[in-house]
Amino acid sequence: MAPMGKTMIKIASWNVNSIRVRMAAVLTWLAEAAPDVLLLQEIKAEDGTFPRLEFESLGYAVAIHGQKSYNGVAILSRLPMESVIMGLPGDPTDSQARYIEARINGQVLAASLYLPNGNPVDSDKFAYKLAWLDRLHRHAAATLRQWELPVVFGGDYNIIPSDADVYNPKAWADDALCRPESRSRFRALLHLGLTDAYRALNPAPGGYTFWDYKAGAWEKDRGLRIDHLLLSPQAADRLLACGIDKTPRGWDKPSDHVPVWCELMD
């Protein structure tokens, strides 16, 4: 690929809910959508059991921050990767594999993140979610101060930013994904200067990225928008297109999430 400024780069994010279960779907989608970079979440695999060779055979370099049975994030890139950081800085005692970032082709910094769900809200899980968001805010602020090139923080944020992003706001009002504490921290990220790529180009309500497996949520379009691509000012200035590909949700053995993607160009 030619350097940015002469062409575009396509970056996608997808919570696959187990890479081994969803491997056929991911390979099919890669062949059809052909992203330059795919940020994966909830791979539920350790580094040694991740199907690296299958992706490398398609021309993708692979960076993995895995964990047995839970969590896990990865970056697939058709462009060279360097300066990989595994784990969200700020808490060396945090053993959950929820963050990985890499410099892509010397042109863009891309991070794949999987925020904690946080339910139930009266438990330590919600406190962990809020603390994780506070760490993300500090790291994002430091990254934006340091980097002059485009930055993309992509992944499953487990946050419904507004009532426009959920099929039934009243029913979800007390959920950790909708609680004011979660939403205010998401807005704080935007106040750093980050742009919600999808909403920047698609202001109409909806644009769901997740449908539960239960109660016919997919068939009834009872969805949530919780997967986001947040762009630094340099990346937002280059935003050409952004979309959500709902097609894989209708495939056999689907993830409950679908890919969200953006194209950046000078």
Side-chain angles (χ1 to χ4, degrees), residues 25-209:
V26 174
L27 292 175
T28 298
W29 191 80
L30 283 174
E32 295 179 357
D36 299 292
V37 179
L38 178 57
L39 311 173
L40 295 174
Q41 301 90 42
E42 207 172 357
I43 59 175
K44 297 182 178 178
E46 295 177 291
D47 295 9
T49 60
F50 187 88
R52 176 188 296 268
L53 293 178
E54 288 87 335
F55 294 117
E56 291 179 340
S57 69
L58 296 178
Y60 285 92
V62 180
I64 310 160
H65 182 33
Q67 183 176 345
K68 184 178 181 180
S69 302
Y70 299 97
N71 307 321
V73 286
I75 302 175
L76 312 181
S77 177
R78 296 197 295 189
L79 304 170
M81 279 193 289
E82 60 184 358
S83 304
V84 176
I85 294 177
M86 292 182 288
L88 181 65
D91 183 0
T93 68
D94 187 1
S95 61
Q96 298 191 29
R98 293 183 176 274
Y99 185 91
I100 187 170
E101 71 175 46
R103 186 169 176 172
I104 307 295
N105 206 32
Q107 301 170 344
V108 60
L109 184 72
S112 178
L113 53 95
Y114 175 45
L115 266 81
N117 177 282
N119 284 300
V121 295
D122 59 352
S123 73
D124 291 342
K125 293 182 178 180
F126 191 52
Y128 174 65
K129 179 191 186 91
L130 299 182
W132 206 97
L133 279 162
D134 290 339
R135 285 165 53 205
L136 178 62
H137 185 276
R138 292 192 293 270
H139 179 61
T143 300
L144 294 177
R145 287 194 299 268
Q146 175 184 355
W147 281 78
E148 296 181 0
L149 295 177
V151 180
V152 179
F153 294 101
D156 176 2
Y157 280 72
N158 265 318
I159 295 176
I160 300 167
S162 73
D163 286 354
D165 303 303
V166 54
Y167 74 94
N168 186 341
K170 185 176 180 180
W172 284 80
D174 293 326
D175 192 276
L177 279 63
C178 275
R179 283 289 293 263
E181 300 94 326
S182 302
R183 286 180 165 180
S184 67
R185 284 165 171 80
F186 188 86
R187 290 194 299 271
L189 290 170
L190 301 182
H191 291 159
L192 289 174
L194 296 175
T195 294
D196 181 343
Y198 183 78
R199 275 290 172 253
L201 299 180
N202 303 274
Y208 304 140
T209 63

